[in-house]
Structure formats: C-alpha cells, structure tokens
Amino acid sequence: MTAAPLILKLTNPDVTKDLDLSPAELRAVLDLAADVKRSPGLYRHSLSGKSIALLFEKPSLRTRMTFELAIQQLGGFFVGYEGLIGKREPLKDMARNLDRWVDGIVARTFLQKTIDGLAQWSKAPVINALSDMFHPCQALADMQTLREHFGALHGLKLAFVGDGNNVANSLMLCAARLGVDFSLATPPNYEASAAIITQARELATATGANITITTDPAEAARSAHAIYTDVWASMGAENEAAERRTAFSEYQVDDDLFTHTAPGAIFMHCLPAKRGEEVTDSIIESARSVVFDQAENRLHAQKALLLMLLS
Ligand code: CP
Ligand code: NVA
C-alpha cells in the first residue's frame, strides 16, 4: 500500500481568517487539495483517532456536508452543535469544554469576534467556516477551481460583482497573494472594508496582482477570466433584502456582462444562489458556470486544510 505523503504543518494554530495562511501555505493547501482529490485513498486514515466539533450558528449545506464527509473520509469523527455561541453559557467556557474532548473546532458564526474568541480560549485549533468578515474555506475551493480550469492562477483576472462582504473579502486576500488580478464592483455603501482593500493592495505588491475597486460592473468585468457573485442579502441581513434588491439592481450577472470579459470566461458563485437577483438563470445554468465544481472542491480543499492543521 502506498503511504500518504508527508504533510506540511501550518504555522498558525488556527485558521480564523485567510491571512492565517502564509502565501506559501496557501499554495501548499492548494497542492495538497489537488492530491487529495486525485488520490483520496492515500489519506483515508490520516485523521484516524481525531475528533472534530462542528459548530453552526447559521444554516449550511455545502460547508457542513463537506466538513462532515471530509472528516469521515480521512478516518476521523465529528460531533455537531447548532445554536448561538456564548448565549447559553459564556463562549470561554464552551471553548474550554470543547478542547477537552476534541482535536479541532470548525465554527460558522455571525460575528468574526466569536471565531476569534473561540481561538483565544480553545487549545484545539479553530477553523472559520464563515463569519460576517471571511469565508476562507470557500476561497480555497474557489482558487482550486480556478487553477483546475485555467491550469495556473498567476495572471488571471477574477471579477467580483455584488456585495463587498465575507466571500469578496476572502477572495480578494487570496487573489492578491496568488498573483490573481482582482476587480470588485459594488454599489455605493456596499463596498468591502477599506482596511481589507488596503491590506490586499499591500500584499499584491509581492505578486504583481492588480486590485481594482469600482462601482461599475462592466469595468470590473473587462477582460476578466471569471465573474463571481454572491447573494445580495447574506445570512443575518435578510431584513434588508428589499432595500438591497433596489441598491443592487444594476449588479446582476447576466449575458450582457459577459460581453466585456475575456473569451472563455467562467461564472462562479459560492451558492446558495438567488436566480433572478444576483445572477440570471441563463448564466448559472450555462456552460460557463463552474458552481458545482466549486462546491465539489469544498470537500477536497477542506480535507487539505484539516490535514495540514491536525495530522
Ligand atoms: N457556500 C457555502 O458556504 O454554502 P453553505 O452556506 O451551504 O455552507
Ligand atoms: N455571503 C453569504 C455567503 C453564504 C455562503 C452569507 O454570508 O450568507
């Protein structure tokens, strides 16, 4: 039987945000994700005897299913918890219970500070499975998908059209460090945080990636290899759905927007999608759409992350 290759251990004990992975580690996660995808059998005992807690304050299909499957397919166990963290008992108590039982914690929270608090109080590593600020696991799968589709990442242009929110933040921070040009078109008042844009631009100086911020979807899409979008009203912002539909009405990804891209440009979405809002049915169902490749790669990218954090 062939043994699983030696796996690089991550420097940071937690992945609470994209920047917890260095650029070299980011590339190593993508390489390992590709190998895990190619040869899953090599890794089926790699987390043998490890237990992981999955905490979800918000609904999930992809993240939850793929973490549950990833852990089991690597030989580990998981336990699940649904509910607000820090409500029934202090967050610091919950973290210090969990770390007596499990080897890792995966948490989807409303607030980034809840993830940061878990990481502060738990001796077991914590992985961000989506907060209001970041979606690092999504960005890993998306970079894996882009690399598979185009063969290499450096020099690609990824356009994000829509809400300057968690998914856009994570993509921007990963793109900047992988040499992928990133253009973001948001309506006024829905921009990404100025601090994250500044950080991405600083990081991009090392790779030569261009980070473009605009309110014009056509400008963002110009010569792009991929257009990415996300829902207009994220989980927790559902009560703003009506006003957001008005604010984002010019930001729908449709056939017209793809007239500005490079030939062969693909459509990306983290899912769940609202057809008729951020994307037309014709685009998400078209041959350009790689949304299910992205969803598939959540499994492989998260396996790689778990292996590099825990094995
Ligand atoms: N893309 C994503 O995170 O999907 P879920 O909300 O279903 O986990
Ligand atoms: N921005 C979306 C992503 C869901 C995967 C949300 O936060 O609801």
Side-chain angles (χ1 to χ4, degrees):
M1 195 184 82
T2 320
L6 279 180
I7 292 164
L8 179 84
K9 183 99 175 126
L10 296 178
T11 312
N12 272 312
D14 307 289
V15 181
T16 61
K17 56 188 185 303
D18 305 87
L19 295 187
D20 284 340
L21 299 175
S22 70
E25 288 172 337
L26 182 55
R27 287 190 296 273
V29 174
L30 296 179
D31 288 343
L32 183 57
D35 196 58
V36 166
K37 184 170 182 175
R38 244 184 334 261
S39 313
L42 289 183
Y43 300 89
R44 67 174 179 265
H45 302 299
S46 299
L47 288 190
S48 178
K50 304 272 185 192
S51 300
I52 294 159
L54 304 180
L55 317 182
F56 281 84
E57 291 192 320
K58 302 188 273 200
S60 171
L61 173 72
R62 280 146 291 273
T63 308
R64 185 165 184 162
M65 299 292 110
T66 52
F67 265 114
E68 290 187 1
L69 287 165
I71 292 161
Q72 293 183 105
Q73 290 174 8
L74 295 172
F77 301 96
F78 68 86
V79 283
Y81 172 94
E82 278 175 29
L84 292 175
I85 296 164
K87 187 160 188 240
R88 180 165 173 255
E89 61 187 301
L91 175 152
K92 61 185 180 181
D93 288 1
M94 192 166 168
R96 290 177 296 173
N97 276 256
L98 288 169
D99 74 6
R100 298 293 177 107
W101 306 322
V102 298
D103 302 288
I105 297 172
V106 172
R108 166 168 289 194
T109 62
F110 282 99
L111 300 174
Q112 178 65 26
K113 76 170 190 219
T114 307
I115 306 262
D116 295 340
L118 288 170
Q120 180 190 339
W121 287 99
S122 162
K123 290 197 178 72
V126 173
I127 298 178
N128 181 343
L130 177 75
S131 68
D132 57 339
M133 290 296 292
F134 303 112
H135 200 357
C137 297
Q138 180 72 50
L140 291 174
D142 297 338
M143 292 299 152
Q144 184 181 1
T145 306
L146 276 170
R147 196 168 75 166
E148 279 174 354
H149 191 89
F150 292 103
L153 287 169
H154 204 274
L156 293 179
K157 178 177 175 183
L158 171 62
F160 187 103
V161 174
D163 195 10
N165 195 20
N166 41 20
V167 173
N169 288 341
S170 284
L171 288 171
M172 178 160 44
L173 291 169
C174 288
R177 291 175 305 145
L178 291 167
V180 175
D181 291 345
F182 186 82
S183 55
L184 175 63
T186 67
N189 303 322
Y190 295 95
E191 297 95 350
S193 99
I196 290 178
I197 295 169
T198 304
Q199 220 168 11
R201 285 193 162 134
E202 280 167 13
L203 292 162
T205 58
T207 61
N210 289 309
I211 308 293
T212 311
I213 307 295
T214 175
T215 53
D216 179 1
E219 185 194 337
R222 192 166 306 129
S223 304
H225 299 92
I227 302 182
Y228 198 122
T229 190
D230 184 9
V231 288
W232 290 342
S234 282
M235 290 182 276
E238 290 90 348
N239 61 344
E240 300 170 15
E243 69 188 83
R244 282 171 173 264
R245 266 195 293 275
T246 308
F248 285 83
S249 61
E250 301 299 315
Y251 290 78
Q252 186 181 68
V253 178
D254 58 12
D255 290 281
D256 186 46
L257 195 57
F258 271 93
T259 61
H260 302 280
T261 63
I266 59 173
F267 171 71
M268 303 181 79
H269 195 306
C270 51
L271 303 180
K274 280 225 158 97
R275 289 162 167 81
E277 291 200 4
E278 75 273 9
V279 61
T280 58
D281 190 62
S282 72
I283 287 294
I284 197 169
E285 296 295 345
S286 71
R288 302 181 177 283
S289 176
V290 297
V291 298
F292 302 113
D293 297 329
Q294 295 172 256
E296 180 189 341
N297 284 336
R298 297 294 304 276
L299 177 69
H300 311 298
Q302 284 158 206
K303 279 185 180 172
L305 194 58
L306 289 166
L307 289 168
M308 291 176 67
L309 210 50
L310 301 178
S311 71

